[in-house]
Amino acid sequence: MSTEKKRKQVRVWMDGCFDMVHFGHANALRQGKEMGDYLAVGVHSDSEISKHKGPPVYNEQERYKMVRAIKWVDEVIEDAPYVTTLETMDQYDIDFCVHGDDITTTAEGQDTYHLVKTANRYKECKRTQGVSTTDLVGRMLLVTKTHHQKEGAEIDKAHVGAIGKAESQMTELSLYTDIAKSHIKKFSADDSFSRSPWTGCSQFLPTSRKIIQFSGGKDPQPGDRIVYVAGAFDLFHLGHLDFLEKVAEQGEFVIVGLHTDPIVNRYKGCNYPIMNLHERVLSVLACRYVSEVVIGAPYSVTNELMDHFKVDVVCHGQTPIMPDMDGSDPYAEPKRQGKFKIIDSKNLLTTQMIIDRIIKNRLEYESRNKKKEAKELKIMQHLKNQSEQSI
């Protein structure tokens, strides 16, 4: 009999609000999972977030389900305490806690990880530069088509417009322009230490390595039924998730075709997409129901595409289908082959509804973001003073 002891499973804890779950959250969870064997993720309740940070965009049930769908997550602990305690760690037999290299504080300004840090049960992972919930909310409030340009760019009034149905809620062009200009001025590059590096708008720079890290890297197996869907999947949300969960029931290998930004803007209008193509690729790849992503998929599903990927069925949700540029049905070919299926996810949530939530509570979110950044700046100044004193 072997005298070697079976290696103990390394159990990792991560927690957070996970509001408007995006690829930055997913990348942190991916890094956390790499540090151990089992990843338990604590998600804070609505009341805890409102107390310490301000109102969340997604409710707690939406956030619990979104985190469960991230492919590196093994378990979700609901209503996790805002301050990570040793009692919580012990309750779930956790070896150590992992968090990004940014600052998270309570309403009183206390480090939410001070207990686990003191106990030497804390490790850090790299925060994903270029994206945050605050950043995404800012893009929606800017309401421009140029929100992916470098900060400091002048706002052209011709490019400023309301987002779909929200137009009736905020119709004054001057209001939009003022918000946009003040937001860009606030984050100008000339003021490097007057803003927090963790809160605010920034540029995400995609790399092939990042895509490889998110990709499963698996090919379909012989006999697998291959399912193809296409769309924008902008601000990846619970409506998308429920749709893809239903799509995954149609086969073993799900391919998602993501349309380019100009194509999405053509059929969505206004300042869509809120997230650019590269950001949407990572958001979709993080979903456990997705096997592969086609980056910049054609709007019309062609015979060549179906043949190349050996597609067995093409699925679409119950949202209206806009004709292609020449007026043709983009799903004419799969329909001709008898390989087209409408999927009813039973979830009516849309990207527009998420944006409506933001605009409805605009002042609350702006206040939340300002308070969050003010706390971070105080901590940064304290750390800077400590560093200068130690020299």
Side-chain angles (χ1 to χ4, degrees):
M1 187 175 74
S2 173
T3 57
E4 289 185 11
K5 291 184 178 179
K6 185 178 180 182
R7 186 177 71 85
K8 179 185 179 295
Q9 183 186 61
V10 177
R11 295 173 62 87
V12 179
W13 173 276
M14 297 185 77
D15 57 27
C17 304
F18 298 100
D19 195 18
M20 289 183 64
V21 178
H22 51 69
F23 65 91
H25 294 127
N27 192 41
L29 296 173
R30 179 191 65 79
Q31 293 178 75
K33 180 62 179 284
E34 285 185 345
M35 296 184 190
D37 305 303
Y38 188 91
L39 179 61
V41 181
V43 181
H44 309 317
S45 67
D46 293 346
S47 59
E48 280 283 88
I49 297 173
S50 296
K51 175 184 176 184
H52 295 284
K53 200 172 182 178
V57 179
Y58 284 7
N59 67 50
E60 57 196 39
Q61 294 304 322
E62 290 172 326
R63 292 183 290 107
Y64 297 153
K65 187 166 185 178
M66 288 293 290
V67 175
R68 283 192 178 96
I70 295 174
K71 60 186 177 184
W72 298 287
V73 175
D74 295 300
E75 179 183 1
V76 167
I77 289 82
E78 300 180 1
D79 193 16
Y82 204 79
V83 175
T84 309
T85 66
L86 296 176
E87 289 77 13
T88 300
M89 302 271 282
D90 292 340
Q91 180 182 350
Y92 294 97
D93 193 25
I94 300 297
D95 292 283
F96 54 84
C97 169
V98 175
H99 186 68
D101 54 358
D102 54 341
I103 295 175
T104 305
T105 63
T106 64
E108 295 76 28
Q110 184 181 50
D111 183 352
T112 57
Y113 296 100
H114 72 282
L115 297 174
V116 290
K117 286 180 180 178
T118 302
N120 199 30
R121 292 172 69 179
Y122 176 85
K123 295 185 180 183
E124 280 188 351
C125 64
K126 284 290 182 183
R127 180 186 179 277
T128 305
Q129 295 296 322
V131 68
S132 67
T133 299
T134 307
D135 173 30
L136 295 176
V137 169
R139 293 183 196 182
M140 291 178 237
L141 293 179
L142 287 177
V143 204
T144 69
K145 290 183 180 181
T146 55
H147 55 266
H148 292 303
Q149 291 185 352
K150 287 182 181 289
E151 54 196 12
E154 180 64 23
I155 297 294
D156 183 350
K157 286 188 179 183
H159 288 142
V160 181
I163 308 178
K165 296 176 184 176
E167 193 166 358
S168 61
Q169 296 171 313
M170 299 175 66
T171 55
E172 291 297 323
L173 180 61
S174 60
L175 173 60
Y176 289 128
T177 309
D178 288 344
I179 294 171
K181 284 185 174 179
S182 65
H183 199 86
I184 287 177
K185 182 179 179 181
K186 177 181 176 184
F187 298 125
S188 85
D190 298 329
D191 202 7
S192 60
F193 202 77
S194 67
R195 56 158 293 194
S196 164
W198 305 295
T199 298
C201 292
S202 53
Q203 284 286 101
F204 168 65
L205 300 176
T207 63
S208 58
R209 182 167 178 263
K210 186 64 64 188
I211 293 175
I212 291 170
Q213 288 172 336
F214 271 60
S215 175
K218 295 180 180 179
D219 293 324
Q221 299 302 303
D224 280 356
R225 184 172 165 85
I226 299 174
V227 187
Y228 180 79
V229 299
F233 292 91
D234 193 17
L235 292 176
F236 193 83
H237 54 69
L238 197 60
H240 298 134
L241 175 60
D242 285 346
F243 170 68
L244 289 174
E245 185 176 13
K246 287 289 186 184
V247 165
E249 295 174 1
Q250 303 299 313
E252 291 75 34
F253 198 88
V254 175
I255 301 174
V256 177
L258 287 172
H259 298 145
T260 63
D261 296 348
I263 288 178
V264 174
N265 187 255
R266 182 181 72 83
Y267 64 79
K268 289 282 190 179
C270 300
N271 70 326
Y272 288 108
I274 302 299
M275 300 180 85
N276 67 40
L277 176 60
H278 299 293
E279 294 172 316
R280 291 183 284 119
V281 165
L282 295 185
S283 297
V284 173
L285 278 175
C287 177
R288 65 173 69 251
Y289 303 118
V290 176
S291 309
E292 182 64 282
V293 164
V294 179
I295 304 173
Y299 187 64
S300 286
V301 182
T302 63
N303 181 60
E304 289 76 17
L305 182 147
M306 294 179 68
D307 184 61
H308 179 80
F309 292 108
K310 310 300 182 205
V311 175
D312 293 294
V313 60
V314 175
C315 296
H316 190 274
Q318 294 194 310
T319 54
I321 299 173
M322 182 177 178
D324 207 339
M325 294 282 285
D326 60 1
S328 63
D329 179 356
Y331 292 97
E333 182 60 28
K335 287 177 181 177
R336 186 188 69 78
Q337 296 185 26
K339 294 182 177 181
F340 181 75
K341 187 170 186 177
I342 292 290
I343 300 293
D344 183 5
S345 67
K346 309 294 184 186
N347 189 327
L348 300 178
L349 186 67
T350 64
T351 302
Q352 178 64 59
M353 293 177 185
I354 299 300
I355 292 173
D356 286 347
R357 293 184 190 182
I358 299 292
I359 292 179
K360 181 180 178 182
N361 298 288
R362 177 179 66 84
L363 296 178
E364 284 187 272
Y365 292 127
E366 285 186 340
S367 174
R368 180 187 77 173
N369 294 348
K370 286 178 182 177
K371 289 178 182 177
K372 181 173 182 284
E373 187 165 24
K375 284 195 297 182
E376 290 169 353
L377 284 170
K378 286 178 66 177
I379 294 170
M380 282 177 61
Q381 188 61 54
H382 176 69
L383 293 173
K384 183 184 179 185
N385 293 341
Q386 279 188 327
S387 177
E388 290 174 347
Q389 291 170 6
S390 64
I391 296 175

